[in-house]
Amino acid sequence: MKKTNTNKILILLSNLAVIIGIFCMFAAAFNEDGGSVRGSVFQVMAPLSETGYHLVVPLVIGLTILLLSVVLGFLSLVLDNKKLKFAAGVLIVLDLAGAGLFFLTPTFYMAANPQIKDLDLTGATSLGAGPICVGVFTILGALLSLISIVLKGSDTTSQPVKGGIRRAR
């Protein structure tokens, strides 16, 4: 008999959403309508030393939180149902914290680089596609983790019967 655990599948999908969010960090960090090109979220988070910009520590913490969420999500796949629901609760907190940090990218960038305020480029540092996609996919991962907590049916077993396979709960 083959067992399928829907909660584990939802946690796996949650991890996939967070991984997609991490890959979205290659997108533009700011809406560059009239300003200079600053690059992707990775380049804004940890700029090259030649640029004169500083490391944006809250974004590094946000990336660390998202990576921790992915690792914990994969490790939670070996847990039983009650411990899996606790791990899903921790994943929700981690994902929402990471999403919140990335939605504040312009604020953190301006705080880490005070020399930009002198250039009057505040309109050019509005939120771009990168942090928005990271936040949206990470919140999607948190919602999938929440569904895995709320969902009652966890284990379904396929049992052979006369005339085919019947699903029993």
Side-chain angles (χ1 to χ4, degrees), residues 43-113:
Q43 292 168 335
V44 166
M45 181 179 9
L48 298 173
S49 60
E50 298 90 33
T51 60
Y53 296 119
H54 303 296
L55 180 72
V56 183
V57 176
L59 295 182
V60 175
I61 292 171
L63 176 61
T64 306
I65 287 173
L66 294 184
L67 291 174
L68 180 66
S69 171
V70 170
V71 170
L72 179 65
F74 281 124
L75 290 177
S76 68
L77 294 177
V78 297
L79 300 175
D80 64 345
N81 202 21
K82 288 184 181 181
K83 292 178 184 175
L84 181 68
K85 289 191 179 212
F86 176 75
V90 173
L91 290 176
I92 291 170
V93 171
L94 289 173
D95 291 347
L96 291 178
L101 288 173
F102 280 100
F103 279 133
L104 295 172
T105 297
T107 305
F108 293 142
Y109 184 73
M110 297 295 277
N113 299 295

Coordinates of all heavy atoms in Angstrom, one line a residue, residues 43-113:
Q43 N 22.9 42.6 -6.1 CA 23.8 43.7 -6.3 C 23.6 44.8 -5.3 O 24.5 45.5 -4.9 CB 23.8 44.2 -7.7 CG 24.4 43.2 -8.7 CD 24.1 43.6 -10.1 OE1 23.2 44.3 -10.4 NE2 25.0 43.1 -11.0
V44 N 22.3 45.0 -5.0 CA 22.0 46.1 -4.0 C 22.3 45.6 -2.6 O 22.8 46.3 -1.8 CB 20.5 46.4 -4.1 CG1 20.0 47.2 -3.0 CG2 20.2 47.2 -5.4
M45 N 22.1 44.3 -2.3 CA 22.3 43.7 -1.0 C 23.8 43.7 -0.7 O 24.2 44.1 0.4 CB 21.7 42.3 -1.0 CG 21.9 41.6 0.3 SD 21.2 39.9 0.4 CE 20.7 39.5 -1.2
A46 N 24.6 43.3 -1.6 CA 26.0 43.2 -1.4 C 26.8 43.8 -2.6 O 27.2 43.1 -3.5 CB 26.5 41.8 -1.2
P47 N 26.9 45.2 -2.6 CA 27.5 45.8 -3.8 C 29.0 45.6 -3.8 O 29.6 45.3 -2.8 CB 27.2 47.3 -3.6 CG 27.0 47.4 -2.1 CD 26.4 46.1 -1.6
L48 N 29.5 45.8 -5.0 CA 31.0 45.7 -5.1 C 31.7 46.9 -4.4 O 31.1 47.9 -4.3 CB 31.4 45.7 -6.6 CG 30.8 44.6 -7.5 CD1 31.1 44.9 -8.9 CD2 31.4 43.3 -7.0
S49 N 32.9 46.7 -3.9 CA 33.5 47.7 -3.1 C 33.9 48.9 -4.0 O 34.0 50.0 -3.5 CB 34.8 47.1 -2.5 OG 35.7 46.7 -3.5
E50 N 34.0 48.8 -5.3 CA 34.3 49.9 -6.2 C 33.2 50.9 -6.3 O 33.4 52.1 -6.6 CB 34.7 49.5 -7.6 CG 35.9 48.6 -7.7 CD 35.5 47.1 -7.5 OE1 34.5 46.7 -8.0 OE2 36.3 46.3 -7.0
T51 N 32.0 50.5 -6.0 CA 30.8 51.4 -6.2 C 30.7 52.4 -5.1 O 30.1 53.4 -5.3 CB 29.5 50.6 -6.3 OG1 29.3 49.8 -5.1 CG2 29.5 49.6 -7.5
G52 N 31.3 52.1 -3.9 CA 31.2 53.0 -2.8 C 29.9 52.8 -2.0 O 29.7 53.6 -1.0
Y53 N 29.0 51.9 -2.4 CA 27.8 51.7 -1.6 C 28.1 50.6 -0.5 O 29.1 49.8 -0.6 CB 26.7 51.2 -2.5 CG 26.3 52.2 -3.5 CD1 26.4 52.0 -4.9 CD2 25.8 53.5 -3.1 CE1 26.0 52.9 -5.8 CE2 25.4 54.4 -4.0 CZ 25.5 54.2 -5.3 OH 25.2 55.1 -6.2
H54 N 27.3 50.6 0.5 CA 27.5 49.7 1.7 C 26.6 48.5 1.6 O 25.6 48.5 1.0 CB 27.2 50.5 3.0 CG 28.1 51.7 3.1 ND1 29.5 51.7 3.2 CD2 27.7 53.0 3.1 CE1 29.9 52.9 3.3 NE2 28.9 53.8 3.3
L55 N 27.0 47.5 2.4 CA 26.3 46.3 2.6 C 24.9 46.6 3.2 O 24.9 47.3 4.2 CB 27.1 45.3 3.4 CG 26.5 43.9 3.7 CD1 26.5 43.1 2.4 CD2 27.2 43.2 4.8
V56 N 23.9 46.0 2.7 CA 22.5 46.3 3.3 C 22.2 45.0 4.2 O 21.7 44.0 3.7 CB 21.5 46.5 2.2 CG1 20.1 46.8 2.8 CG2 21.9 47.6 1.3
V57 N 22.5 45.2 5.5 CA 22.5 44.1 6.4 C 21.1 43.5 6.5 O 20.9 42.2 6.6 CB 23.1 44.5 7.8 CG1 22.9 43.4 8.8 CG2 24.5 44.9 7.6
P58 N 20.0 44.3 6.6 CA 18.7 43.7 6.8 C 18.3 42.8 5.6 O 17.6 41.8 5.7 CB 17.7 44.8 6.8 CG 18.5 45.9 7.4 CD 19.9 45.7 6.8
L59 N 18.8 43.1 4.4 CA 18.5 42.2 3.2 C 19.3 40.9 3.3 O 18.8 39.9 2.9 CB 18.8 42.9 1.9 CG 17.9 44.1 1.6 CD1 18.3 44.7 0.3 CD2 16.4 43.8 1.7
V60 N 20.5 41.0 3.8 CA 21.3 39.8 4.1 C 20.6 38.9 5.1 O 20.6 37.7 4.9 CB 22.8 40.1 4.5 CG1 23.5 38.9 4.9 CG2 23.5 40.9 3.4
I61 N 20.1 39.5 6.1 CA 19.3 38.8 7.1 C 18.1 38.2 6.5 O 17.7 37.0 6.8 CB 19.0 39.7 8.3 CG1 20.2 40.1 9.1 CG2 18.0 39.0 9.3 CD1 20.0 41.2 10.1
G62 N 17.4 38.9 5.6 CA 16.2 38.4 4.9 C 16.6 37.2 4.1 O 15.8 36.2 4.1
L63 N 17.7 37.2 3.3 CA 18.1 36.1 2.5 C 18.4 34.9 3.4 O 18.1 33.8 3.1 CB 19.3 36.5 1.7 CG 19.9 35.3 0.8 CD1 18.9 34.8 -0.1 CD2 21.2 35.8 0.1
T64 N 19.1 35.2 4.5 CA 19.4 34.1 5.5 C 18.2 33.4 6.0 O 18.1 32.2 6.2 CB 20.3 34.6 6.6 OG1 21.4 35.3 6.1 CG2 20.7 33.5 7.6
I65 N 17.2 34.3 6.4 CA 15.9 33.7 6.8 C 15.2 32.8 5.8 O 14.7 31.8 6.1 CB 15.0 34.9 7.3 CG1 15.5 35.5 8.6 CG2 13.5 34.4 7.4 CD1 14.7 36.8 9.0
L66 N 15.2 33.3 4.5 CA 14.6 32.5 3.5 C 15.4 31.2 3.2 O 14.8 30.1 3.0 CB 14.6 33.3 2.2 CG 13.6 34.5 2.2 CD1 13.6 35.2 0.8 CD2 12.3 34.1 2.7
L67 N 16.7 31.2 3.3 CA 17.5 30.0 3.1 C 17.2 29.0 4.3 O 17.1 27.8 4.1 CB 19.0 30.3 3.0 CG 19.4 31.0 1.7 CD1 20.8 31.4 1.8 CD2 19.1 30.1 0.5
L68 N 17.1 29.6 5.5 CA 16.8 28.8 6.7 C 15.4 28.1 6.6 O 15.2 27.0 6.9 CB 16.9 29.6 8.0 CG 16.6 29.0 9.3 CD1 17.6 27.9 9.6 CD2 16.5 30.0 10.4
S69 N 14.5 28.9 6.0 CA 13.1 28.4 5.8 C 13.2 27.2 4.8 O 12.5 26.2 5.0 CB 12.3 29.5 5.2 OG 11.0 29.0 4.8
V70 N 14.0 27.3 3.7 CA 14.0 26.2 2.8 C 14.7 25.0 3.4 O 14.2 23.9 3.2 CB 14.8 26.7 1.5 CG1 15.1 25.5 0.6 CG2 14.0 27.7 0.8
V71 N 15.7 25.2 4.1 CA 16.4 24.0 4.8 C 15.5 23.4 5.8 O 15.3 22.1 5.8 CB 17.7 24.5 5.4 CG1 18.3 23.4 6.3 CG2 18.7 24.9 4.4
L72 N 14.8 24.2 6.6 CA 13.9 23.6 7.6 C 12.7 22.9 6.9 O 12.2 21.9 7.4 CB 13.4 24.7 8.5 CG 12.4 24.3 9.6 CD1 13.0 23.4 10.6 CD2 11.8 25.5 10.3
G73 N 12.2 23.5 5.8 CA 11.2 22.9 5.1 C 11.5 21.5 4.6 O 10.7 20.5 4.7
F74 N 12.7 21.4 4.0 CA 13.1 20.0 3.5 C 13.4 19.1 4.7 O 13.1 17.9 4.6 CB 14.4 20.1 2.7 CG 14.1 20.6 1.3 CD1 14.7 21.7 0.8 CD2 13.2 20.0 0.5 CE1 14.5 22.2 -0.5 CE2 12.9 20.4 -0.8 CZ 13.5 21.5 -1.3
L75 N 13.9 19.6 5.8 CA 14.1 18.7 7.0 C 12.8 18.3 7.6 O 12.7 17.2 8.2 CB 15.0 19.4 8.0 CG 16.5 19.6 7.6 CD1 17.2 20.4 8.7 CD2 17.2 18.3 7.4
S76 N 11.8 19.1 7.5 CA 10.5 18.8 8.1 C 9.8 17.7 7.4 O 8.8 17.1 7.9 CB 9.6 20.0 8.2 OG 9.2 20.4 7.0
L77 N 10.2 17.3 6.2 CA 9.5 16.3 5.4 C 9.7 14.9 6.0 O 8.9 14.0 5.7 CB 10.0 16.3 4.0 CG 9.7 17.6 3.2 CD1 10.3 17.5 1.8 CD2 8.2 17.8 3.1
V78 N 10.6 14.8 6.9 CA 10.8 13.4 7.6 C 10.1 13.4 8.9 O 10.1 12.3 9.5 CB 12.3 13.1 7.8 CG1 13.0 13.1 6.4 CG2 13.0 14.1 8.7
L79 N 9.4 14.4 9.3 CA 8.7 14.4 10.6 C 7.3 13.8 10.5 O 6.7 13.7 9.4 CB 8.5 15.8 11.1 CG 9.8 16.6 11.3 CD1 9.5 18.0 11.7 CD2 10.6 15.9 12.4
D80 N 6.7 13.4 11.6 CA 5.4 12.9 11.6 C 4.4 14.1 11.6 O 4.8 15.2 11.6 CB 5.1 12.0 12.8 CG 5.2 12.7 14.1 OD1 5.8 13.8 14.2 OD2 4.8 12.1 15.2
N81 N 3.1 13.8 11.6 CA 2.1 14.8 11.3 C 2.1 15.9 12.3 O 2.0 17.1 12.0 CB 0.7 14.1 11.1 CG -0.2 15.0 10.3 OD1 0.2 15.8 9.6 ND2 -1.5 14.8 10.5
K82 N 2.1 15.6 13.6 CA 2.0 16.7 14.6 C 3.3 17.5 14.6 O 3.2 18.8 14.7 CB 1.9 16.0 16.0 CG 0.5 15.4 16.2 CD 0.3 14.9 17.6 CE -1.1 14.3 17.7 NZ -1.4 13.8 19.0
K83 N 4.4 17.0 14.5 CA 5.7 17.7 14.4 C 5.8 18.5 13.1 O 6.3 19.6 13.1 CB 6.9 16.9 14.6 CG 7.0 16.2 16.0 CD 8.2 15.3 16.1 CE 8.3 14.6 17.4 NZ 9.3 13.6 17.5
L84 N 5.2 18.0 12.1 CA 5.2 18.7 10.8 C 4.3 19.9 10.9 O 4.7 21.0 10.3 CB 4.6 17.7 9.7 CG 4.6 18.3 8.3 CD1 6.0 18.5 7.8 CD2 3.8 17.3 7.4
K85 N 3.2 19.9 11.6 CA 2.4 21.1 11.7 C 3.1 22.2 12.5 O 3.0 23.3 12.2 CB 1.1 20.7 12.4 CG 0.2 19.9 11.4 CD -1.2 19.8 11.9 CE -2.0 19.0 10.9 NZ -3.4 19.4 10.8
F86 N 3.9 21.8 13.5 CA 4.7 22.7 14.3 C 5.7 23.4 13.4 O 6.0 24.6 13.4 CB 5.3 22.1 15.5 CG 6.2 23.0 16.3 CD1 5.7 24.0 17.0 CD2 7.6 22.9 16.1 CE1 6.6 24.9 17.7 CE2 8.5 23.8 16.8 CZ 7.9 24.8 17.6
A87 N 6.4 22.5 12.6 CA 7.4 23.0 11.7 C 6.8 23.9 10.6 O 7.4 24.9 10.2 CB 8.1 21.8 11.0
A88 N 5.6 23.6 10.2 CA 4.9 24.5 9.2 C 4.6 25.9 9.9 O 4.7 26.9 9.2 CB 3.6 23.8 8.8
G89 N 4.3 25.9 11.1 CA 4.1 27.2 11.8 C 5.4 28.0 11.9 O 5.3 29.2 11.7
V90 N 6.5 27.3 12.1 CA 7.8 28.0 12.1 C 8.1 28.5 10.7 O 8.6 29.7 10.5 CB 8.9 27.1 12.6 CG1 10.3 27.7 12.5 CG2 8.6 26.7 14.1
L91 N 7.7 27.7 9.7 CA 8.0 28.2 8.3 C 7.1 29.4 8.0 O 7.6 30.3 7.2 CB 7.6 27.0 7.3 CG 8.6 25.8 7.3 CD1 8.0 24.8 6.4 CD2 9.9 26.3 6.9
I92 N 5.9 29.5 8.5 CA 5.1 30.6 8.2 C 5.7 31.9 8.8 O 5.8 32.9 8.1 CB 3.7 30.4 8.8 CG1 2.9 29.4 8.1 CG2 2.9 31.7 8.8 CD1 1.6 28.9 8.7
V93 N 6.2 31.8 10.0 CA 6.8 33.0 10.7 C 8.1 33.4 9.9 O 8.3 34.6 9.6 CB 7.2 32.6 12.1 CG1 8.0 33.7 12.8 CG2 5.9 32.4 12.9
L94 N 8.9 32.4 9.5 CA 10.2 32.7 8.8 C 9.8 33.3 7.4 O 10.5 34.3 7.0 CB 11.0 31.5 8.6 CG 11.7 30.9 9.8 CD1 12.3 29.6 9.5 CD2 12.7 31.9 10.4
D95 N 8.9 32.8 6.7 CA 8.5 33.3 5.4 C 8.0 34.7 5.4 O 8.3 35.6 4.6 CB 7.5 32.4 4.7 CG 8.1 31.0 4.3 OD1 9.4 30.9 4.3 OD2 7.4 30.1 4.0
L96 N 7.1 35.0 6.4 CA 6.5 36.3 6.5 C 7.6 37.3 7.0 O 7.5 38.5 6.5 CB 5.3 36.3 7.5 CG 4.1 35.5 7.0 CD1 3.0 35.6 8.1 CD2 3.6 36.1 5.7
A97 N 8.5 36.9 7.8 CA 9.6 37.8 8.2 C 10.5 38.2 7.0 O 10.8 39.3 6.8 CB 10.4 37.2 9.4
G98 N 10.8 37.2 6.3 CA 11.6 37.4 5.1 C 10.9 38.3 4.1 O 11.5 39.2 3.5
A99 N 9.7 38.0 3.8 CA 8.9 38.9 2.9 C 8.8 40.3 3.3 O 9.0 41.2 2.5 CB 7.5 38.3 2.7
G100 N 8.6 40.5 4.6 CA 8.6 41.9 5.2 C 9.9 42.6 5.0 O 9.9 43.8 4.6
L101 N 11.0 41.9 5.2 CA 12.3 42.6 5.0 C 12.5 43.0 3.6 O 13.0 44.1 3.3 CB 13.4 41.7 5.5 CG 13.5 41.5 7.0 CD1 14.5 40.4 7.4 CD2 13.8 42.8 7.7
F102 N 12.1 42.1 2.6 CA 12.3 42.5 1.2 C 11.4 43.5 0.7 O 11.7 44.3 -0.2 CB 12.3 41.2 0.3 CG 13.6 40.5 0.4 CD1 13.7 39.4 1.2 CD2 14.7 40.9 -0.3 CE1 14.9 38.7 1.3 CE2 15.9 40.3 -0.2 CZ 16.0 39.2 0.6
F103 N 10.2 43.7 1.3 CA 9.3 44.7 0.9 C 9.8 46.1 1.4 O 9.4 47.1 0.8 CB 7.9 44.5 1.5 CG 7.1 43.6 0.6 CD1 6.3 42.6 1.2 CD2 7.0 43.7 -0.7 CE1 5.6 41.7 0.5 CE2 6.2 42.8 -1.5 CZ 5.5 41.8 -0.9
L104 N 10.7 46.1 2.3 CA 11.3 47.4 2.8 C 12.7 47.6 2.2 O 13.5 48.4 2.7 CB 11.4 47.3 4.3 CG 10.1 47.2 5.1 CD1 10.3 47.0 6.5 CD2 9.3 48.5 4.8
T105 N 13.0 47.0 1.0 CA 14.3 47.2 0.4 C 14.7 48.7 0.2 O 15.8 49.0 0.5 CB 14.3 46.4 -1.0 OG1 14.1 45.1 -0.7 CG2 15.6 46.7 -1.7
P106 N 13.8 49.5 -0.4 CA 14.3 50.9 -0.6 C 14.7 51.6 0.7 O 15.6 52.4 0.8 CB 13.1 51.6 -1.2 CG 12.3 50.5 -1.8 CD 12.5 49.3 -1.0
T107 N 13.9 51.4 1.8 CA 14.2 52.0 3.1 C 15.5 51.6 3.6 O 16.3 52.4 4.1 CB 13.0 51.7 4.1 OG1 11.8 52.0 3.5 CG2 13.3 52.4 5.4
F108 N 15.8 50.3 3.6 CA 17.0 49.8 4.1 C 18.2 50.2 3.2 O 19.3 50.5 3.7 CB 17.0 48.2 4.1 CG 16.1 47.7 5.1 CD1 15.3 46.5 4.9 CD2 15.9 48.3 6.4 CE1 14.5 46.0 5.8 CE2 15.0 47.7 7.3 CZ 14.3 46.6 7.0
Y109 N 18.0 50.3 1.9 CA 19.1 50.8 1.0 C 19.4 52.2 1.3 O 20.6 52.6 1.3 CB 18.6 50.6 -0.4 CG 19.7 50.9 -1.4 CD1 20.8 50.1 -1.6 CD2 19.6 52.0 -2.2 CE1 21.8 50.4 -2.5 CE2 20.6 52.3 -3.1 CZ 21.7 51.5 -3.3 OH 22.6 51.8 -4.2
M110 N 18.4 53.1 1.5 CA 18.7 54.5 1.7 C 19.3 54.6 3.1 O 20.2 55.5 3.3 CB 17.4 55.3 1.7 CG 16.7 55.3 0.3 SD 17.7 56.1 -0.9 CE 17.2 57.8 -0.6
A111 N 19.0 53.8 4.1 CA 19.5 53.9 5.4 C 21.0 53.5 5.4 O 21.8 54.0 6.1 CB 18.7 53.1 6.4
A112 N 21.3 52.5 4.6 CA 22.7 51.9 4.6 C 23.6 52.8 3.8 O 24.8 52.8 3.9 CB 22.7 50.5 4.0
N113 N 23.0 53.6 2.9 CA 23.8 54.5 2.0 C 23.4 55.9 2.1 O 22.6 56.4 1.3 CB 23.7 54.0 0.5 CG 24.2 52.6 0.4 OD1 25.4 52.4 0.6 ND2 23.4 51.7 0.0

